[in-house]
Amino acid sequence: MRHDILLISATACLVLAASVGHAVDQRDNASQLFGAAKVPSAQTAAAVGSYAKGCAAGMVALPESGPTWQTMRLSRNRNWGHPETIDFLMDLSARAKELGWAGLYVGDISQPRGGPMTSGHRSHQIGLDADIWMLPADRLDLSRQEREELSSISVRTSDQKSVNDNWTDTHMKILQAAAEDPRTDRIFVAAAVKIELCETATGDRSWLQRIRPLYGHNFHFHIRLKCPADSPSCITQSPTVAELSNGGDGCDASLQWWVTDYLQQLKKPPPSTASKPRGVRDYVMADLPADCMSVLTSD
């Protein structure tokens, strides 16, 4: 594996108890603790728990810049992933260059030890999720400041029902390359993108079943990898993609729900929060898999 450039000095290991001011307790807020971790645990790589309730041991960083990628929003310190995820992103960025872009702008992957975040995502907790910007990478010498200020682009219209002029054939080819990779579980995109792919993809369309519509993915697409072989505590997402698409390409009539009934639901006032279950920001350590305590407190 290509991780010799990713090694971190042992002297940089985090002493977590000092950073939070007390010994870690099962009742402590998990997002605050995992958000405070600045480096990964010195453990064998493993994804622990589920994509939206878990953590990750032995993470490695996607370097800030590479021959075919740049990581964005470096101040967030979310360019960490399971080694298989980092390899995947390097491979996909190289493929993006072959297809005509300079490479990829990579958004959030995970925190150094995964876990719940204090802002943003509900998932991205076990090092197997990654966001790729829809903005075509045309230069790979962006400064740290530019990577904080530059914005991605939306590829759908304001009514959310179709792609706009920012959408290109290369977007489709990169999504296809990502979906055909056997490491991929599913890819989340705006419903308009899924509809466009269903209308224009030709040849073998089996890869389309891994492309799943989900609100809020018009500026980036979200790749989710399968549980790696080295992670027996990783929980596979259910239902599976095959179940969601009934073994087909996911281009059936139910796809229109995302641009009809679902959009109408968004216009309704949000429901009362009085009876809502505990949210990801409120998770305490006891809510997470037991192994996450050792991931959090390990040097």
Side-chain angles (χ1 to χ4, degrees):
M1 284 191 173
R2 299 161 291 183
H3 301 135
D4 54 316
I5 59 175
L6 310 175
L7 296 178
I8 298 174
S9 169
T11 59
C13 287
L14 177 71
V15 180
L16 187 69
S19 72
V20 299
H22 59 81
V24 179
D25 187 273
Q26 290 282 4
R27 296 165 294 182
D28 286 338
N29 182 282
S31 64
Q32 294 296 326
L33 292 173
F34 279 98
K38 303 303 180 187
V39 297
S41 65
Q43 297 172 301
T44 302
V48 180
S50 67
Y51 299 92
K53 186 182 285 187
C55 60
M59 299 264 257
V60 294
L62 179 67
E64 295 179 3
S65 296
T68 53
W69 73 85
Q70 283 201 288
T71 58
M72 311 301 284
R73 304 292 190 265
L74 296 173
S75 62
R76 297 179 180 176
N77 195 29
R78 294 177 179 176
N79 59 315
W80 299 86
H82 184 280
E84 194 161 296
T85 304
I86 303 307
D87 281 346
F88 175 95
L89 293 171
M90 290 178 175
D91 292 343
L92 184 62
S93 68
R95 180 61 179 144
K97 184 173 183 179
E98 293 173 355
L99 292 170
W101 291 5
L104 295 176
Y105 292 146
V106 181
D108 288 353
I109 309 173
S110 289
Q111 299 175 138
R113 302 185 188 213
M117 298 180 182
T118 57
S119 64
H121 315 281
R122 291 181 56 85
S123 61
H124 289 256
Q125 293 192 33
I126 57 176
L128 300 177
D129 295 285
D131 291 341
I132 306 297
W133 281 23
M134 289 294 192
L135 177 67
D138 59 0
R139 45 177 288 225
L140 298 176
D141 59 352
L142 298 172
S143 68
R144 291 183 67 90
Q145 188 63 31
E146 286 176 310
R147 284 184 258 184
E148 296 295 330
E149 297 174 350
L150 185 66
S151 296
S152 188
I153 57 171
S154 174
V155 294
R156 63 154 171 76
T157 56
S158 58
D159 66 5
Q160 305 188 36
K161 296 183 179 181
S162 60
V163 294
N164 61 22
D165 291 341
N166 290 329
W167 176 258
T168 68
D169 186 55
T170 306
H171 283 94
M172 181 178 75
K173 291 177 180 177
I174 292 173
L175 282 168
Q176 180 175 355
E180 289 180 337
D181 191 298
R183 293 169 288 190
T184 299
D185 180 83
R186 64 195 71 196
I187 300 172
F188 300 116
V189 298
V193 170
K194 173 71 175 184
I195 292 170
E196 175 70 12
L197 295 175
C198 288
E199 292 177 349
T200 59
T202 59
D204 181 0
R205 291 163 54 94
S206 58
W207 60 275
L208 285 173
Q209 69 173 302
R210 291 184 177 177
I211 307 290
R212 306 307 307 170
L214 190 64
Y215 181 74
H217 290 79
N218 48 304
F219 286 90
H220 69 273
F221 60 94
H222 175 165
I223 296 171
R224 174 164 292 169
L225 300 189
K226 298 174 182 175
C227 288
D230 64 10
S231 302
S233 297
C234 179
I235 300 174
T236 300
Q237 185 164 352
S238 180
T240 67
V241 168
E243 290 169 334
L244 283 168
S245 56
N246 297 316
D249 56 15
C251 294
D252 54 28
S254 64
L255 178 58
Q256 293 300 317
W257 178 84
W258 287 94
V259 293
T260 53
D261 295 354
Y262 184 74
L263 293 183
Q264 291 301 315
Q265 288 183 22
L266 293 180
K267 298 176 183 179
K268 298 178 182 178
S272 170
T273 59
S275 60
K276 279 189 175 181
R278 197 202 312 269
V280 65
R281 310 281 179 261
D282 303 317
Y283 285 165
V284 296
M285 289 301 299
D287 292 321
L288 302 182
D291 287 347
C292 288
M293 182 64 80
S294 64
V295 169
L296 187 68
T297 57
S298 172
D299 287 342

